[in-house]
Amino acid sequence: MEFEKDNTFFTGRLKSVGFALKGAIKLITTEHSVMVQSSIAVLMIIAGFYFEISRTEWMFQILAFGLVLSIEGLNTAVEKVADFVHPDYHERIGFIKDIAAGAVFFAALTAIAIGLLIYVPRLV
């Protein structure tokens, strides 16, 4: 079965959006870390409405959620490819996976810092 590329602008973009939505749904429904991070994002959105955060704070908060979930998606993709290429434990594959997880860690620390900057002043 050969995959035929859709070269028309509109239908090609529409198919791309469909694939992206399918991937996002797979991430949210199958990856526990994404489920946890999505739940935290929902809680922070509720907190944003409760504390009536500013437009700028909303932008930073949304950017932080997007950053963490995007990097987590890339981390998941790296892990899946690595497991496909070398299903058994291999030191180099472990190194690659650790680096990808480290990227998620940096994104999460950034999101935590943004959350603290927004909400700590309201709580003290």
Side-chain angles (χ1 to χ4, degrees), residues 26-122:
K26 282 183 181 181
L27 264 175
I28 291 171
T29 58
T30 63
E31 296 300 316
H32 293 287
S33 57
V34 175
M35 290 177 201
V36 169
Q37 293 159 351
S38 297
S39 298
I40 293 169
V42 169
L43 292 174
M44 298 307 288
I45 289 168
I46 293 167
F49 283 115
Y50 179 79
F51 288 107
E52 298 178 352
I53 64 176
S54 72
R55 181 182 211 96
T56 302
E57 290 167 329
W58 274 112
M59 288 189 290
F60 279 110
Q61 184 167 281
I62 291 166
L63 183 64
F65 301 153
L67 174 69
V68 172
L69 292 172
S70 297
I71 300 297
E72 185 63 58
L74 292 173
N75 177 54
T76 299
V78 166
E79 288 180 353
K80 300 293 183 193
V81 169
D83 290 342
F84 179 77
V85 170
H86 205 295
D88 298 324
Y89 175 79
H90 190 278
E91 188 175 329
R92 289 183 185 170
I93 294 292
F95 181 78
I96 292 166
K97 287 178 161 186
D98 288 347
I99 289 172
V104 176
F105 181 70
F106 286 134
L109 285 179
T110 302
I112 290 168
I114 289 169
L116 291 173
L117 288 168
I118 293 171
Y119 293 106
V120 167
R122 289 173 167 81

